[in-house]
Amino acid sequence: MRDCIFCKIVEKEIPATVIYEDDDVLVFMDIGPIIKGHALVISKKHYDPVTETPDEMLAKLHVTAKRIAQAQMNGFGADGVNIMQNNGTAAGQEVPHIHVHVIPRFSDDGHHWNWNAKKYNDFDEMKKLADKLREQL
Ligand code: AMP
Ligand code: ZN
């Protein structure tokens, strides 16, 4: 797709430090790592967002992310791994081409997600939201 930076990486129009590739997916180092060693798993074909991505491709992306996670644990001695996938600018997505972040984590890496857990006003508020979701499935 024109003007998509990740499509340009797939087409080798711009460089990337590739870790793995096959017919469906490409894995390369994120140039702005949350933790050094942070990798991105992308589809070779342009899809976005997750809801428009075929199930088979999503499965492939996540199985590949699992392999990269194992490689980070074996290769870097990572103690844990965050696997993340953002959709939409409201969710912090910067590149609108499906990709899975695989971020190695170390007990002493000092990184903290701003995971600010909120509270529902009451049980009914949560239940109404659950009802809305159930209706859509
Ligand atoms: P997201 O916010 O989920 O869309 O993540 C996009 C990610 O792509 C960010 O972590 C960027 O650091 C990364 N990124 C953007 N351009 C490049 C590039 N040319 N090579 C490698 N990573 C990139
Ligand atoms: Zn693209």
Side-chain angles (χ1 to χ4, degrees):
M1 191 174 154
R2 263 169 65 86
D3 293 334
C4 172
I5 192 165
F6 285 178
C7 283
K8 286 183 179 160
I9 288 177
V10 171
E11 296 302 326
K12 304 205 178 340
E13 287 172 25
I14 61 170
T17 303
V18 172
I19 305 161
Y20 173 80
E21 87 177 282
D22 62 25
D23 289 345
D24 304 315
V25 300
L26 182 70
V27 186
F28 53 93
M29 301 299 273
D30 191 307
I31 40 161
I34 298 294
I35 302 291
K36 290 176 184 176
H38 179 167
L40 297 174
V41 182
I42 76 168
S43 58
K44 283 198 163 172
K45 195 168 165 193
H46 184 97
Y47 295 109
D48 189 70
V50 66
T51 45
E52 298 295 324
T53 304
D55 290 355
E56 300 72 31
M57 178 55 73
L58 274 179
K60 182 86 188 247
L61 289 167
H62 285 276
V63 169
T64 307
K66 173 186 168 184
R67 290 184 65 196
I68 301 302
Q70 187 68 68
Q72 290 174 340
M73 290 190 276
N74 293 350
F76 301 152
D79 301 306
V81 178
N82 286 119
I83 295 179
M84 299 179 61
Q85 201 273 307
N86 302 323
N87 295 278
T89 48
Q93 185 184 18
E94 287 174 4
V95 180
H97 175 134
I98 187 107
H99 56 279
V100 178
H101 295 262
V102 189
I103 305 169
R105 298 302 307 274
F106 302 88
S107 306
D108 60 352
D109 65 30
H111 180 75
H112 297 284
W113 299 106
N114 187 17
W115 194 276
N116 220 345
K118 313 285 189 305
K119 282 197 166 83
Y120 288 105
N121 294 331
D122 50 34
F123 182 72
D124 200 46
E125 185 187 22
M126 184 174 77
K127 193 177 162 300
K128 281 191 176 127
L129 291 172
D131 290 344
K132 270 194 185 158
L133 287 178
R134 220 174 284 113
E135 281 164 25
Q136 296 299 323
L137 297 176

